[in-house]
Amino acid sequence: MKPPLPNLRDRQREETRSQILRAVGRQLESRSLEDLSFAEIARDAGVGERTVYRHFPTKEALLGAFWAWMQSEAFRPSQGGPAARPKPPRADRRLREAITAQRDPQRPMRILIATDAWEPQVNGVVRTLTRVVTELQAIGHTVEVIHPGQFKTFPLPTYNEIKVAIGVYEPVQELFKAFEPEAIHIATEGPIGLAARRICVEWKLPFTTSYHTRFPEYVSARLPLPLAAGYAYMKWFHKPSGRLMVATPTMQKELESHGFRNISAWSRGVDTEVFRPRAEGEPDIFAHLPRPVFLYVGRVAVEKNIEAFLALDLPGSKVVVGPGPQLEELKAKYPKVVFTGSKQGEELAQHYRCADVFVFPSLTDTFGLVILESMASGTPVAAYPAPGPVDLIPGSGAGALAITATEGLREACLQCLEIDRKGVRAFAERFSWRACAEDFVKNLEPYPEPEKTRFWRRLRRLARVRRRRPEAA
């Protein structure tokens, strides 16, 4: 008689735990985190409510386990074991050797970008990616973007504006097969990025990644997690990448000090037609406010360090443009500050060009696209010496830096009032989205000819074999 499986009780416990977490995912498709009910979760999972409490005594414990489980699911093999899913085709030696082969950067390519940040989100990452995609298409490349709008999503805890995609691995795999990319870029480290990374690693596809957000600092600002844990995850995520693209030399040095490798520069751009100085006779939208006007544009969230700006003793008025989870809290705490909410397009550009000084207090951004938008509008920038500002402002004549990351921001703001706005605009005109897109293409690691054609042909053949097998049975 076959001996019983070892640790049977542990296996049953783990299966029950997975049932509960799958039920949480289903519940989040139709309700918010605040409305989650242990009774509904138990009913959905087919277990008793006491069983749910035994596994997860509090809602915090349940949600923490759900986040960890959701990430692990991105790497879990399909049910049924290896036989249920054919092994991905292995790349031959010639294909691996050809990855670094010389190529013509002007030749149009099929470029796939996988990102968890996309419209209707409003942030620098989305603006960068959408504008780069537009420029790539104008150059002649064919671009496919895999984004959260193509999947079921639920709002990110504490940040309802950001939607997190779930159940993405199999659909992302099909999108890869349908598009047959020549070059792959993974822009974010969320569920979509994880699924794309897994596919590339399994299929031995070369790919690149980019570092848009200081994720470890972002998480540490919101949760009681050490920075080391965040950097360990980020290093693991980016390790197989052929190139890790970063926006500034300072960010490159910082990541290298944490053990990252294969880092390449990827510049940023600004639309100098939309973001321009105020013309003579053009209306001033801040005409009703006491001068000078100090402006902040961006997410209203704890990791943006906005209170370092709002608490400053400055003359005139302070204006904050943007949505975010801290908006209502800061409105109540700083009643004299003007909070406008989200602004886009020409309306946003008006706010930039009519302000006297733009204040950028963040210490967790990797670049700060809003800095260039302000400079293109002729408005000087005051900031802390963090990655992004420290690469742009010194010697530019377009802004001023605080003495340290905690002191001197007020003095930098007042210093900006003396800066020539024409010089600020002239500095911003050096940056273009076309140059940004060209940098991006240079950093890509596309499949070379003819290996890529052979690979996708082999994959299509494998798919036909899989379809025939059920018919034969």
Side-chain angles (χ1 to χ4, degrees):
M1 182 178 178
K2 191 175 182 179
L5 290 171
N7 301 320
L8 181 59
R9 181 175 296 178
D10 290 343
R11 291 173 183 271
Q12 291 172 336
R13 180 181 175 84
E14 183 59 28
E15 179 54 34
T16 302
R17 186 175 182 276
S18 295
Q19 282 179 243
I20 295 169
L21 294 174
R22 281 193 291 270
V24 172
R26 289 191 292 271
Q27 291 290 313
L28 286 173
E29 292 176 18
S30 58
R31 64 183 67 205
S32 67
L33 283 170
E34 291 73 22
D35 296 331
L36 275 181
S37 159
F38 274 58
E40 291 294 330
I41 292 169
R43 190 177 300 113
D44 194 329
V47 299
E49 191 172 350
R50 290 180 61 185
T51 302
V52 178
Y53 277 106
R54 190 163 60 247
H55 282 79
F56 310 103
T58 65
K59 183 179 282 190
E60 288 74 18
L62 176 62
L63 292 176
F66 175 72
W67 277 103
W69 172 82
M70 186 179 70
Q71 291 197 354
S72 68
E73 282 296 292
F75 299 93
R76 189 182 299 278
S78 299
Q79 292 184 353
R85 176 163 55 92
K87 291 179 68 175
R90 298 185 60 176
D92 57 29
R93 186 179 62 187
R94 284 178 299 173
L95 180 117
R96 291 195 298 271
E97 290 174 348
I99 287 173
T100 56
Q102 292 292 319
R103 65 185 186 280
D104 178 9
Q106 303 301 320
R107 182 181 59 80
M109 291 187 292
R110 299 172 64 79
I111 302 171
L112 185 145
I113 298 175
T115 176
D116 296 271
W118 197 248
E119 296 171 330
Q121 295 178 35
V122 181
N123 54 55
V125 179
V126 174
R127 289 204 297 279
T128 297
L129 293 176
T130 52
R131 191 56 196 263
V132 166
V133 167
T134 300
E135 291 294 334
L136 291 174
Q137 291 170 336
I139 293 170
H141 300 291
T142 304
V143 185
E144 174 79 7
V145 180
I146 302 177
H147 58 84
Q150 298 165 307
F151 310 95
K152 291 183 178 179
T153 61
F154 66 90
L156 184 69
T158 76
Y159 217 139
N160 291 336
E161 291 91 345
I162 296 179
K163 306 300 182 185
V164 179
I166 55 176
V168 300
Y169 175 68
E170 296 292 344
V172 169
Q173 196 178 46
E174 293 306 313
L175 289 169
F176 266 66
K177 294 175 184 176
F179 186 63
E180 298 187 2
E182 297 174 77
I184 300 163
H185 181 74
I186 302 173
T188 56
E189 300 88 357
I192 291 175
L194 283 166
R197 179 191 183 279
R198 172 183 170 183
I199 292 166
C200 289
V201 170
E202 286 186 343
W203 293 357
K204 301 189 186 302
L205 297 172
F207 67 99
T208 57
T209 56
S210 48
Y211 200 93
H212 292 278
T213 303
R214 299 177 77 183
F215 181 78
E217 286 81 1
Y218 170 88
V219 172
S220 185
R222 292 173 169 272
L223 302 171
L225 289 175
L227 278 176
Y231 274 109
Y233 169 74
M234 296 297 272
K235 279 200 293 186
W236 168 84
F237 184 93
H238 293 283
K239 186 178 180 180
S241 169
R243 284 190 180 91
L244 169 56
M245 303 185 203
V246 298
T248 66
T250 301
M251 199 68 241
Q252 180 171 347
K253 291 176 184 176
E254 186 172 317
L255 291 180
E256 286 173 345
S257 72
H258 286 287
F260 290 76
R261 59 184 184 82
N262 295 342
I263 303 175
S264 296
W266 178 23
S267 69
R268 293 293 184 271
V270 64
D271 190 331
T272 53
E273 294 182 4
V274 172
F275 300 102
R276 56 170 179 80
R278 186 160 66 100
E280 187 176 349
E282 189 175 350
D284 179 3
I285 63 170
F286 296 137
H288 63 292
L289 295 177
R291 289 285 180 173
V293 172
F294 296 90
L295 173 70
Y296 166 85
V297 174
R299 293 198 307 269
V300 184
V302 63
E303 72 275 5
K304 295 297 184 180
N305 197 31
I306 301 173
E307 285 198 79
F309 160 50
L310 300 183
L312 293 177
D313 179 18
L314 291 170
S317 307
K318 296 171 186 170
V319 178
V320 173
V321 176
Q326 238 191 339
L327 183 59
E328 296 305 319
E329 174 194 338
L330 294 182
K331 274 185 178 180
K333 190 172 180 179
Y334 299 96
K336 293 183 179 180
V337 175
V338 177
F339 291 87
T340 70
S342 181
K343 300 292 180 184
Q344 297 183 50
E346 177 59 23
E347 195 175 10
L348 173 61
Q350 283 183 316
H351 282 71
Y352 279 121
R353 70 175 71 113
C354 293
D356 294 291
V357 176
F358 181 79
V359 185
F360 188 78
S362 176
L363 299 170
T364 59
D365 281 67
T366 60
F367 186 82
L369 190 61
V370 288
I371 295 174
L372 283 183
E373 292 174 348
S374 176
M375 290 176 174
S377 306
T379 303
V381 179
Y384 284 117
V390 79
D391 297 279
L392 288 171
I393 294 175
S396 68
L401 288 181
I403 300 170
T404 69
T406 56
E407 297 178 346
L409 186 60
R410 178 180 182 274
E411 290 73 16
C413 289
L414 297 176
Q415 187 181 339
C416 283
L417 293 172
E418 308 299 323
I419 293 176
D420 178 19
R421 295 177 69 94
K422 290 182 180 178
V424 177
R425 166 70 179 189
F427 175 75
E429 288 175 344
R430 304 179 192 178
F431 297 85
S432 75
W433 283 117
R434 177 56 59 92
C436 176
E438 289 172 351
D439 273 359
F440 177 79
V441 172
K442 289 175 186 175
N443 285 331
L444 289 176
E445 294 211 343
Y447 252 29
E449 297 278 6
E451 284 78 4
K452 67 174 184 296
T453 304
R454 186 181 304 122
F455 174 84
W456 294 113
R457 187 187 302 126
R458 190 183 308 153
L459 202 58
R460 288 195 297 271
R461 190 184 307 123
L462 180 63
R464 287 196 296 271
V465 170
R466 289 181 65 182
R467 286 195 296 269
R468 289 187 192 124
R469 281 176 180 170
E471 295 171 2

